[in-house]
Amino acid sequence: MSRWKALPAELHPHVHQLIVRLRRLKDHSELSTRQLAVKTGYSARSWQRYLNGRSLPPLEAVEAMARIGRDDPARLLVMHEIAAQRWAEGRAAGTATPEDSSATPDHTSTERQPYGRLLRVAVAAGAVVTVLSVSVALLLAVRLTEARAQLAHDRADAEATAPATVSESLVPVIYTCRLERQGTRWHAGLSSTTDILLSNTQVGLEVAEAQCLLRRAGTAPGDIDGVFGPKTRRAVERMQKQNGLIVNGVIDPPTWQALRKAAPE
């Protein structure tokens, strides 16, 4: 298992969630960053920036990692879309990204360039950026349409009752719990995990699954929104105390086991 550096504290939770998912896929593939560069076409240095939260990985890099890690590409595309929006919002609001804060502008070299040459370079660069932006936007629109269709199909199969409410940007607002006992275990129809660690600021289907099971156990976490916030943490602590577990507010394997355990008939 790789020993990852802690991600920058200023990262938005949705960006944090995407990078953690990519780290898990890399660990599962057992590839070094150099081997990853050969298989994806992105340099080892680029992957180091992506996986350490200094730069947001492009869509094609995320797709390549999904193929290598055999993960659901539709889900990763949705996570990337949300993370890209949060990353752009942070830059628009003036929040420095790790890559931004390490850069030092060179005013001297700029002052020495003739104004006319700088203007020509700026115009040429603007034209290239425009062409690239249009191409990427078209590609992204096609991929997102496919991802939304696949997501809608999967959710229709998984939910016999009303589906979860989803906003226009595909950010879950309220999930639907479909509690079902399978042998000696309880499931809520959102995730089958029994070992993923969940704690403050994490988001996703695994969090929503845990919230459904907490509600079933009588320690309601509030809305089933897939966001691990203060209410969910307090519910976890109450449940751990009731079951004689270590009270740490983190959903670890022993806590998952207690949440899923069904009482004998």
Side-chain angles (χ1 to χ4, degrees), residues 105-117:
D106 186 358
H107 297 293
T108 303
S109 62
T110 301
E111 292 171 357
R112 290 177 180 175
Q113 296 292 333
Y115 176 77
R117 181 180 178 185

Side-chain angles (χ1 to χ4, degrees), residues 149-161 163 178 189:
Q150 183 63 41
L151 184 63
H153 181 270
D154 293 344
R155 192 169 295 280
D157 290 342
E159 296 185 359
T161 58
R178 293 186 63 249

Side-chain angles (χ1 to χ4, degrees), residues 40 45 60 74 80 86 95 98 104 114 123-125 149 165 181 222 235 239 248 256:
T40 63
R45 182 172 296 181
E60 291 76 7
H80 182 271
R86 300 297 178 259
T95 302
T104 302
V123 171
T165 302
R181 178 172 173 172
M239 179 268 176
N248 55 15
W256 276 116

